[in-house]
Structure formats: structure tokens, C-alpha cells
Amino acid sequence: MSASSSPTAPARLKRSLGTPSLLLFGLAYMLPLAVFTTYGLVTQVTGGHLAGAYFITTVAMLFTAYSYANMVRAYPAAGSAYTYTQKAFGPHLGFLTGWALLLDYLVLPLLNYLIIGLYLNQAFPAVPAWVFIVVSVVLVTLLNVIGITLVSSANLALVGVQLVFIAVFVITGIAYASGQSSPPNLLDPFIGSNSTVGNLMAGSAYLALAFLGFDAISTLSEEAKNARRSIPRAIVLCTLIGGLIFIVISYVAGIVFPDYAHFKDADTASLEVMTRIGGAALYAFFTAAYIAGSFASVITSQASVSRILYAMGRDGQLPRRVFAAVHARFKTPWLGIIIVGIVGLLGAVFLGLDFVASIINFGALVAFSFVNLSVIKHFIIDRKERGTAAVLKYAVAPGLGFAMTAWLWTSLSGTALITGIVWVAIGLVILLVLTKGFRRRPPVMDFSEDDPAPLLEVKTPEPSA
């Protein structure tokens, strides 16, 4: 492969995505069937009120999604929370926010590769899980290198499979519940006599990161048509539609299987639900749809993290000739995509699912917190927006988003906190080296409204005052 990476012939990402494609990208990243990944665990944590926890989470995430939408309008550039924090609080905090978010983005493809390997190994025990992982990594990496338009086409098919399954699940679940001699309590999946604010919020802390798809959409700002309009729409729609899907699925599962205390295994409780309402046929359909969804999620997550690496590479905060290199033909950050694939392969083969799942929370909560704060800093403090409407949009809404996100920090596991702190410490050391002990400013990206800066063009760092 040849790549365009010369500073004298800068390349640009191809603008090819409209609102529907961006929405599909976000939904694929969110994985509509992700409800079943933590279904048993969170059902037990919430006392059987999983749908209620998803409702709370959806409301909380809509505030943060609205903050993302506002920052996209201000800075329609690749890099998501990294770019927004950099513009609002300066390049040092921007780097550390991007570095923290990078952990989450690197771990998510790894988690999906692990799930694909485990599920396919259960279906075909004669083939080791690592074989499926290797094949998946190669296939997904090639799809991402070839181009984001192809990724979008793949998302349509893979999200479609999940939506078909969800329709079948909802119909068969309602039919099963309707046929029981004693009708279920229709409000119980949301709230009941044994529910408390504490257990619902504890459940929400597990569920919030299922909404990372709207951050993934913001990483494609430089590949979107009319980014200031299409990206905000896609972000809010993705959060709303994804949240409704999660609520409906968890509600139906709640009325079908209210006796959550009798799960044989919380980790595989979703399979017990499938068997109860549809037998072996629904069990097999679920397995196929879930694997398809995992493929969709890993395709989009690998695309997103490569674009964060691209933004940081173009900024000079990572090696430019590696991470900001764009393929001459496909116009994709091909070296970053390949590196993410290698990391996913090594991690999926050598790390366990429990460890990977435990650390996936840290980066997203950092990103959500700083994006909410960035709205207040940019619009209220820097631009001095005033008036009732401005205060509601740029102070109250992001303030609520930050408060809700801050609450979720209290539920992070010790493993997630320790791993996240160590990762940020590594980032701080890199930042110290880049800035020669904070005596120089990190390179700063320069974007104009209609002509985003080409790759490998960055401002020359200047000594800080």
C-alpha cells in the first residue's frame, strides 16, 4: 500500500456521510443488543428494575449528548472530547482528556473481539477462540482501511440483523407474557416496592457507557456532509433511539422473566430468557444476531479510535508520520487503523474478559465530564452568552449533565480507577516530554469553518509564557 503522508502534499478525509449514515454508525457502535451483555448483573443490582435504570440513564445521557451537539457546532473537527476540551481549556487538558478517552476506545474493540471469539467458540467448539479472533481482526481492519463508506454499508446490514431480532424478541416476548395464567405487573420492570434510588442509580452506572456511540459520531466530523448540522442531529437521535431500544428490550425481558433471583448464572441470564420464550430457535437466532452486532460495534469502534489517533497525530502529540498518515487511494488513516487492530488482537488473545470489561468505564466518564464543562467554559465564560435561553442551553443543561456524570464516578470499580489513573499518569509523562517539562505548549490544531486544516499541517509550537 502507498500512503500520502508528505507535508508538501497534505491529504484530507473524504466528506461522504449524511445524517442517516452517521446515525447508523452511532447505533452500530452502541450495539442495540448490548442490553444482554450485562442483563443478568444489572437486573440483580436494580432488584429486577432494569428498564427503570435504562430510563434514568437515557435521560442523563441526553443532557451530555446535547453538550456534544453544541460543541460540534462550535468546532466541527475530528477528535471528539479531545478537541472540545483542547479548545475550551487549552492543549494540556485537551491532551490528557484525549489520552483518557483513548483507553476506552482501545479497550472497546478488544472487548468485542473477545466476545466474538467466545461466542463462536461455543457454537463451534472444535475451533479455538483465538482463531476466530485473528480472522475477525484481519477482516475488520481491512474494512476500515478500504474506507468509511464501506464501513457505513456494512453497518446497515449488521444493524439490520439486530433490529430484526429485536422485533422478533419483542413480539414473542409479549405473546409469551400474554399467554400466562397470571398477568405480569406491567410497571415492575421500571419500579416496585423493593426499588430504591440507590439501586437504580447503581444500575445506571453500569449502563451509561452503552451510550458511547454518540461520542463515536463526533469523531467523524471531518467526514460528514455539513458537519455543523448533520453531526448534532445524529448525536441526539442516536442517544434517543438507542435509549428507547434499550428500554423496550429490558422492559420485555422484565415481564417475561420477573423471577430474576432464580437466574442460574447472571453472566448468561439472557440465554435463559431466550430459551423461556422461544426455545432453541430463538436461542440460535440471538447468538447469530449478537455476533453480528459485535462485528458492527468493533468495525465502528476501530474506525473511531483510529480517527482520535489521527487528530492527536496531526496535532503533533503523537508521531505525525504514523498516526496522521492518510492512504493515498482510500483517504483513511490506515496506519492508525492497523495499529488499533494489532492492539485488539494481542489484548483479545492474552487478556481475560473480566479484566477488559472492568476498565472500559474510565475514559468515557472523563470525556462526558469535560465535554459538559467545555460547553459552560466556551459559551458562558469565553463568549459571555447571556439571556434565559443561553443560560438554559449552555449552563443548566451541561451542568445537569456534569452532575449526573459525576454521580456515576462513585460506582467505578477499584480496578477501573487504578487502571485509569495509571493510564493518565503515562499520558502525563508523555505530555511532560512533549512540552519539555511544560516549558513549551503542545502543538495546536487550526481549523476554519469551511476549510478544516489538512493533515500534517500544525502550528509550530511556541514556548509558553
Side-chain angles (χ1 to χ4, degrees), residues 341-383:
I342 293 172
V343 171
L345 174 62
L346 296 176
V349 170
F350 294 109
L351 298 179
L353 185 61
D354 291 344
F355 175 76
V356 173
S358 70
I359 63 174
I360 202 169
N361 309 305
F362 187 86
L365 289 179
V366 170
F368 294 165
S369 298
F370 273 99
V371 171
N372 281 307
L373 292 176
S374 294
V375 173
I376 299 172
K377 173 68 164 53
H378 175 75
F379 290 99
I380 299 297
I381 298 176
D382 294 341
R383 289 181 46 175

Side-chain angles (χ1 to χ4, degrees), residues 384-401:
K384 295 179 170 54
E385 296 275 356
R386 296 295 183 265
T388 303
V391 169
L392 289 174
K393 289 171 61 176
Y394 305 133
V396 175
L400 289 171

Side-chain angles (χ1 to χ4, degrees), residues 155 157 206 461 463:
N155 286 343
Y206 285 98

Side-chain angles (χ1 to χ4, degrees), residues 232-271:
R233 283 184 175 181
I235 286 174
V236 174
L237 284 173
C238 180
T239 307
L240 182 60
I241 294 172
L244 289 174
I245 290 174
F246 293 154
I247 291 170
V248 169
I249 293 175
S250 57
Y251 178 80
V252 173
I255 62 174
V256 165
F257 210 120
D259 46 333
Y260 65 92
H262 297 100
F263 287 150
K264 295 177 182 178
D265 185 348
D267 292 339
T268 58
S270 56
L271 298 178

Side-chain angles (χ1 to χ4, degrees), residues 307-434:
R307 279 146 181 84
I308 290 178
L309 292 172
Y310 152 68
M312 297 179 77
R314 179 180 55 189
D315 194 3
Q317 295 176 345
L318 292 175
R320 286 191 289 261
R321 293 190 178 278
V322 176
F323 294 101
V326 174
H327 197 277
R329 177 181 177 186
F330 301 123
K331 306 300 181 189
T332 53
W334 67 291
L335 287 177
I337 291 169
I338 291 173
I339 290 171
V340 174
I342 293 172
V343 171
L345 174 62
L346 296 176
V349 170
F350 294 109
L351 298 179
L353 185 61
D354 291 344
F355 175 76
V356 173
S358 70
I359 63 174
I360 202 169
N361 309 305
F362 187 86
L365 289 179
V366 170
F368 294 165
S369 298
F370 273 99
V371 171
N372 281 307
L373 292 176
S374 294
V375 173
I376 299 172
K377 173 68 164 53
H378 175 75
F379 290 99
I380 299 297
I381 298 176
D382 294 341
R383 289 181 46 175
K384 295 179 170 54
E385 296 275 356
R386 296 295 183 265
T388 303
V391 169
L392 289 174
K393 289 171 61 176
Y394 305 133
V396 175
L400 289 171
F402 175 77
M404 292 178 179
T405 304
W407 175 268
L408 299 179
W409 277 94
T410 63
S411 298
L412 283 175
S413 68
T415 300
L417 280 172
I418 293 171
T419 304
I421 291 170
V422 170
W423 178 259
V424 170
I426 294 171
L428 184 60
V429 171
I430 294 173
L431 186 60
L432 283 168
V433 172
L434 281 171

